[in-house]
Amino acid sequence: MSPLDQALHQIDTLHSTDPTKTPTGTPYELHYAQRMTAWLHKHTPDPSPTLQLAIRAQHLKRWEVPRATYPEGKAGYYAWRTGLARRQAEIAEGVCVGCGMSEAHAQRVGALIRKEGLRGGEDVEAQILEDVACLVFLEEQLEGFEVGVEEGKVVAILRKTWGKMSARGRELALSEVDLGVRGRELVRLALGES
């Protein structure tokens, strides 16, 4: 196996230890990583090895740091996300080096997981990772997320999500994501369409 294949396999092995399961019995984070990879290949047909690894490791061992371990509120949420990204990047870098990848490649994987270079659009691959994460959110999480949340808040979150995506990400969201009737209605509201 190549170092890339070894690292992908090792990441999937770590995802497989997630105690939370999908309705089909797949560990949730393994399922999430597989959906991230599927969307990556729809978005970008020939992604770099480092982008493939960052996409696959996006939520690496996330379940080990529950949201409740950080303070309530927006500041606590952002601190949790930042802490998770650092931790996930560190674990992924270790996997990459352990599988024979160079330190430079491992550091690049970590930088992508931390979404360095995303602000200002200077890193195209960081934007692709953001697009893919947004596409998985729309496909996998929107329906459950909006249950019990006031419509205005969901619409505001969808506006933010839309604003994070590139033109390519938005194109895929509208043409490839099965949003369902309610999801399409919420997206129309978020985009100001009647």
Side-chain angles (χ1 to χ4, degrees):
M1 262 198 289
S2 70
L4 170 63
D5 289 336
Q6 286 179 51
L8 289 169
H9 176 74
Q10 182 62 36
I11 289 166
D12 285 351
T13 299
L14 292 171
H15 285 317
S16 295
T17 63
D18 183 359
T20 306
K21 307 291 187 235
T22 66
T24 61
T26 303
Y28 177 77
E29 292 302 348
L30 178 61
H31 170 77
Y32 179 85
Q34 291 167 342
R35 294 310 308 145
M36 290 283 288
T37 295
W39 277 109
L40 170 63
H41 288 286
K42 283 184 180 184
H43 187 292
T44 304
D46 190 24
S48 73
T50 51
L51 181 56
Q52 290 179 59
L53 287 162
I55 289 283
R56 194 72 140 256
Q58 174 71 5
H59 280 183
L60 196 53
K61 300 186 92 173
R62 184 179 188 149
W63 67 90
E64 292 183 348
V65 184
R67 169 64 182 95
T69 60
Y70 281 76
E72 290 293 321
K74 199 178 270 192
Y77 172 74
Y78 287 120
W80 172 67
R81 277 195 9 198
T82 301
L84 277 175
R86 283 191 199 117
R87 182 176 188 269
Q88 290 155 351
E90 184 178 302
I91 295 167
E93 287 174 19
V95 168
C96 291
V97 169
C99 291
M101 298 185 84
S102 72
E103 189 69 37
H105 280 106
Q107 288 174 358
R108 175 68 177 147
V109 170
L112 285 168
I113 291 170
R114 290 186 299 272
K115 298 182 183 176
E116 293 175 5
L118 181 61
R119 299 286 177 244
E122 61 261 18
D123 190 326
V124 172
E125 288 188 323
Q127 182 58 60
I128 293 169
L129 190 147
E130 186 72 15
D131 283 353
V132 168
C134 290
L135 289 164
V136 173
F137 166 73
L138 292 170
E139 174 190 58
E140 295 276 319
Q141 299 164 343
L142 175 60
E143 186 177 314
F145 175 79
E146 68 106 7
V147 173
V149 178
E150 108 180 19
E151 184 178 89
K153 186 172 183 176
V154 175
V155 168
I157 289 167
L158 281 170
R159 278 192 191 116
K160 269 188 176 175
T161 300
W162 205 256
K164 292 177 182 181
M165 289 191 290
S166 70
R168 174 71 176 142
R170 292 172 185 160
E171 172 193 326
L172 286 169
L174 292 174
S175 65
E176 299 283 331
V177 177
D178 181 7
L179 294 167
V181 174
R182 178 67 176 147
R184 281 193 304 275
E185 177 185 336
L186 289 167
V187 168
R188 275 197 302 273
L189 289 170
L191 299 181
E193 299 172 1
S194 51

